[in-house]
Amino acid sequence: MTSTTTPQQAVSVPATPFDYRLVPGTTALVVIDMQRDFIEPGGFGASLGNDVSLLVPAIAPIAALLAAWRARGWPVVHTREAHKADLSDCPPAKRLRGEPTLRIGDPGPMGRLLISGEPGTEIIAALAPQAGEIVLDKPGKGMFWATGLHERLQSLGVSHLVFTGVTTEVCVQTSMREANDRGYDCLLVEDGTESYFPAYKAAVLEMIAAQGAIVGWHAPSAAVLAALPEP
């Protein structure tokens, strides 16, 4: 995938704790784990006893951002938490923890839970990737572990990342912290991320922006969209 635009002058997005400088052409939109196993009934999220309907409000804001990025030819990254069929990349400590009704790799209504290639690991239809967009399966919570993503982003000249997806306090926060350590300027879209536990989402927003954006910034999708230059 290559961007069809060259870097332009940065634009300011009203954000917390202060304006975020978004660089057109070198800012990728990241969509974390908007897959059926987390969003729809019968998947892995539901097997943990969660109310999956709490994640639905993030879908429309993410769709609007996807449309905006695609119209401008900017990089887009989709991730899926998924493991190999033989579970060789799934540590027992991850698979055996807790008391879910189903565990990773067990058969469920949408195939084996969190296994690459199964129906449940697919990204929901409303946010389906398009040709040329990066789509990667990650065996961990963070998007950089064992994926080669950093090298791919560097080859595209990406320096800024706008984060969306689920869940806020687990895979989204982990990926954003990993990105911050690698030198990316990161913005989390407030209404483009959700958690099964709203209080956890609120805590993440507070933490990442503390101490002068120690991990990054956050802003509503409307602020991001309004700041973008015309396609």
Side-chain angles (χ1 to χ4, degrees):
M1 174 182 177
T2 58
S3 174
T4 61
T5 63
T6 56
Q8 304 170 29
Q9 185 174 356
V11 297
S12 292
V13 178
T16 301
F18 49 84
D19 285 1
Y20 174 77
R21 290 176 57 78
L22 185 152
V23 182
T26 67
T27 300
L29 178 66
V30 180
V31 183
I32 299 286
D33 297 1
M34 292 298 288
Q35 60 205 81
R36 297 181 64 199
D37 261 329
F38 295 133
I39 307 295
E40 297 181 6
F44 183 68
S47 78
L48 297 174
N50 297 307
D51 178 1
V52 296
S53 69
L54 292 172
L55 306 187
V56 171
I59 296 173
I62 296 173
L65 290 163
L66 278 172
W69 253 251
R70 288 164 176 167
R72 292 161 176 80
W74 296 350
V76 175
V77 178
H78 303 264
T79 74
R80 301 178 294 212
E81 186 174 352
H83 294 279
K84 297 177 181 178
D86 64 2
L87 297 176
S88 60
D89 60 352
C90 182
K94 178 180 182 180
R95 185 173 186 272
L96 300 178
R97 188 171 299 157
E99 296 295 334
T101 57
L102 294 171
R103 297 188 183 277
I104 296 171
D106 287 349
M110 295 181 286
R112 296 178 66 200
L113 272 64
L114 296 191
I115 298 299
S116 294
E118 296 288 334
T121 64
E122 292 305 312
I123 294 167
I124 60 172
L127 305 176
Q130 292 187 356
E133 296 175 349
I134 296 174
V135 182
L136 60 88
D137 288 349
K138 57 181 183 62
K141 307 303 183 187
M143 68 183 189
F144 291 100
W145 168 247
T147 65
L149 178 60
H150 180 56
E151 292 74 18
R152 296 178 72 177
L153 293 177
Q154 291 296 287
S155 72
L156 295 173
V158 170
S159 57
H160 291 60
L161 299 172
V162 172
F163 278 88
T164 65
V166 299
T167 60
T168 313
E169 76 281 5
V170 185
C171 294
V172 176
Q173 179 180 206
T174 301
S175 296
M176 190 169 177
R177 289 180 180 273
E178 287 183 341
N180 181 65
D181 283 349
R182 287 164 173 79
Y184 297 95
D185 282 332
C186 302
L187 173 74
L188 178 57
V189 181
E190 296 162 4
D191 52 337
T193 184
E194 291 295 344
S195 170
Y196 301 123
F197 308 95
Y200 294 175
K201 172 182 171 178
V204 170
L205 294 177
E206 184 175 356
M207 284 189 291
I208 64 171
Q211 303 179 75
I214 193 166
V215 176
W217 293 254
H218 58 82
S221 60
V224 177
L225 294 168
L228 300 182
E230 291 297 317

